[in-house]
Amino acid sequence: MRRAGWPGLSRALVLTALTWALAPLSAAPIQALNPPPPRPSARAAEQSFNLALKLERAGNSEQATAIYEQLVTDFPANPRYYQRLKRVLRSSARYDDLRRVIAARLRRQPDDLQSQVELGDVFLLLGRKSAALRTWESLLVRFPQNATAQRLVLTHLLTSNLTEEAAGLLGRLRVEKGDAAFFSLDMGRLYAARLAYDLATTEFLRYLSAQPQAVGNVMNQLLRFPSEPEVIAMLRAQLTGHGSAGALRILAAMEFKNRNFARAVELNQQLEAPALERVDLALDLVAEGEWDLAERVLNGLLADPEAVAFYEEAILALAGVYQARSREHSVALPLSGFYRDNRFFALPYIGVTEASTGALRQAIVLYDSLATTRHNSLARLRLGDIKFLILDDFDGAIADYEAVLGERLAAQYYSQTLLRLIDVWMAKGDLEAAEEVRQRAATRLISKEQANLLDMKAVELIFLSGDRDSLLAYLGGELAALGPADPAFNDLMELSGLVRRFQGSPEPYQAFVRSEALLRQNRRSEAVGVLSAAVKGQLSPLIAPILQYRLATLLALQGKHGAAERLSLKMPGETEFTELGLLLAAELADYLAADSDRAAERYLTFVDTYPLSIYADAARLRYRELRPGEE
């Protein structure tokens, strides 16, 4: 029975495809009286090869090619020499010579599939498409059951943009093999690379039908598609139409990616997803701030008697939901701030609205039950955080942190617990106790990263002690030890520069340090009082804007926006705080007072006044958002 091939190609042509391709290299005349020199040693061959590499890199491809050709002649079985010769001939566009080299190789090794396929590529480079197709078809005829050969031919057809021929061959092979999903994963990737997302999806789902366990692989492929409306609509249609559990899992992940969270939860419930997947979904929803949906998923999990193995994790996650819902979410000013993102001036405390205290109580009850009945160290740690950061119950927090450190199985939490314990002793105003904990931590935290964190705590403790000279000396050593590549280097540089400005002004410096200590104790009102008194005194032009800007930011945190604006617009002197003051006033009007006209006017003034500021582009962009169509 005649085997089907590409249209127009007879069996005689197929069987004689390699006759012309494998024509021998032009024979040299026989030199009977001058026999060829003996083959060089392997060491000499390597030296010649390295010389050819250097010549090639220097741009002398002609001499390099001559050496590679001789090496291939002397050592025809060495793949390195052969591959390099092919590469240099291809890069030099010597395609006919490349054909002859590959043909010689195939005479010696007729089963070399890669060379056979590459021969077809060379025919294409020579403009001989029919010869290329005959070469590839002859390979399929010779190795009819070899999937590797079939995949190689299909890949080269597609990468050569012979899409119609590839589709015809693929259809034929799928029928012959009785495998509708043959080469489907590869086809999907190739279609996706060509932005043919509908065809790619069809192939990926064909692969999923044959390999249901490969849902993760297919999901990764489809979630890489762009989030454009038409692509999303196409995916929804194809995934829904496929209808398998794997396809619906992928659809749920796609809906989550595109922030259609309710639909993701609905699909998750429809699929009756395993308990672990439901816990992961709930945690992802928490991360997105979708508290209601997260609570719904977790409560459903806790009502499932078959998910008892995950109850502890689910309760922990549910407590996290209640804790997160209890926080007071205020609008963060995106640009302004006192040494923004500097760890030494970041305030850790979490505000809680009166209406959300019920959720906080639920979180505390759940954490406490896990810590008491299941000895869950993470629950104990979070309970300590609530007492420290929300309730100002410093003694209760210390007791919880010490309990975590007393658990032998809680080693993974020691680092954050010890660092938090240092913070809570600082909040109590007991710097000696904080230093004792730091030294104790030094014996338990041994990694370089942990040691650096403890060094940062040492800097903070010296700063809060008010000993300016000791602080500068310690900072100098830390900066030299860390180097500019360390993430903490900029924080230390900013702190060092700030402290140096107080040279010769001990009283304002002590007032500043006192206010920072009060902030660490969550006593903002008292910190505001200390700074308010300080800015009324006689201050140097270097120090006055520092204290006034810090006071303005604290007033903004306290909700006293009018007073904060007045101070920010009247920054004394001309320093970076003058620039930041105007930016703070603009953002107060923008994000807190919701006065777009006043905010736009201030952004425009900022851009005109400080066109070279690092914030100028962001301010200009925000102005355009508030005043679309205006320059």
Side-chain angles (χ1 to χ4, degrees), residues 212-369:
Q213 74 279 7
V215 61
N217 190 359
V218 176
M219 183 185 298
N220 289 336
Q221 299 291 339
L222 294 178
L223 292 183
R224 291 194 186 109
F225 289 6
S227 297
E228 298 173 358
E230 60 273 18
V231 175
I232 294 172
M234 178 275 298
L235 283 171
R236 281 194 184 117
Q238 289 218 40
L239 290 166
T240 303
H242 193 272
S244 68
L248 294 181
R249 278 184 61 195
I250 297 170
L251 179 59
M254 186 206 75
E255 297 290 11
F256 193 99
K257 174 191 171 186
N258 292 289
R259 305 190 65 78
N260 190 358
F261 301 120
R263 177 58 175 155
V265 170
E266 180 184 332
L267 286 165
N268 185 272
Q269 292 175 332
Q270 178 182 335
L271 287 164
E272 297 182 353
L276 181 59
E277 287 187 20
R278 283 182 275 169
V279 171
D280 289 340
L281 175 61
L283 294 176
D284 290 339
L285 289 166
V286 170
E288 295 290 342
E290 295 290 327
W291 321 123
D292 291 339
L293 289 172
E295 186 176 353
R296 175 174 148 195
V297 172
L298 290 168
N299 281 327
L301 188 68
L302 291 170
D304 182 358
E306 295 183 3
V308 65
F310 293 91
Y311 279 2
E312 185 170 351
E313 191 170 0
I315 291 171
L316 195 63
L318 187 59
V321 169
Y322 290 136
Q323 182 180 352
R325 292 180 71 166
S326 69
R327 293 178 182 174
E328 180 181 7
H329 298 282
S330 58
V331 178
L333 303 182
L335 299 176
S336 57
F338 188 75
Y339 289 98
R340 185 177 181 82
D341 299 324
N342 187 305
R343 72 189 67 194
F344 296 108
F345 301 106
L347 302 177
Y349 296 99
I350 301 168
V352 177
T353 61
E354 198 164 315
S356 63
T357 54
L360 182 61
R361 279 195 296 272
Q362 288 177 294
I364 292 172
V365 168
L366 289 174
Y367 283 140
D368 189 61
S369 67

Side-chain angles (χ1 to χ4, degrees), residues 316-434:
L316 195 63
L318 187 59
V321 169
Y322 290 136
Q323 182 180 352
R325 292 180 71 166
S326 69
R327 293 178 182 174
E328 180 181 7
H329 298 282
S330 58
V331 178
L333 303 182
L335 299 176
S336 57
F338 188 75
Y339 289 98
R340 185 177 181 82
D341 299 324
N342 187 305
R343 72 189 67 194
F344 296 108
F345 301 106
L347 302 177
Y349 296 99
I350 301 168
V352 177
T353 61
E354 198 164 315
S356 63
T357 54
L360 182 61
R361 279 195 296 272
Q362 288 177 294
I364 292 172
V365 168
L366 289 174
Y367 283 140
D368 189 61
S369 67
L370 284 176
T372 303
T373 62
R374 307 297 286 269
H375 302 288
N376 188 297
S377 298
L378 180 55
R380 180 66 70 188
L381 174 59
R382 289 186 178 173
L383 192 59
D385 285 345
I386 289 175
K387 292 175 182 177
F388 172 30
L389 302 176
I390 299 177
L391 303 179
D392 291 345
D393 179 5
F394 300 148
D395 291 332
I398 290 172
D400 285 326
Y401 294 145
E402 291 289 1
V404 173
L405 295 173
E407 290 282 346
R408 286 187 306 137
L409 300 179
Q412 60 182 314
Y413 305 120
Y414 286 173
S415 175
Q416 55 185 305
T417 303
L418 283 163
L419 292 169
R420 190 66 89 194
L421 194 55
I422 296 171
D423 289 336
V424 77
W425 278 112
M426 284 193 289
K428 282 176 66 69
D430 193 336
L431 301 185
E432 289 184 5

Side-chain angles (χ1 to χ4, degrees), residues 7-8 27 46 67 88 94 99 112 137 140 165 228 295 329 333 346 348 372 386 413 419 445 595 628:
E46 280 299 298
I67 295 174
V88 72
R94 294 172 57 179
R99 180 191 63 80
D112 185 343
E137 179 64 20
L140 298 175
E165 290 81 355
E228 298 173 358
E295 186 176 353
H329 298 282
L333 303 182
T372 303
I386 289 175
Y413 305 120
L419 292 169
L445 307 182
D595 188 336

Side-chain angles (χ1 to χ4, degrees), residues 123-164:
F123 279 129
L124 286 179
L125 293 170
L126 289 167
R128 299 181 61 84
K129 176 182 173 182
S130 296
L133 295 176
R134 288 195 299 271
T135 299
W136 288 330
E137 179 64 20
S138 69
L139 180 63
L140 298 175
V141 169
R142 186 175 178 187
F143 303 100
Q145 303 302 322
N146 191 311
T148 300
Q150 295 162 351
R151 289 177 180 278
L152 281 171
V153 171
L154 283 167
T155 300
H156 281 258
L157 283 168
L158 289 162
T159 54
S160 302
N161 288 321
L162 299 175
T163 308
E164 183 177 344

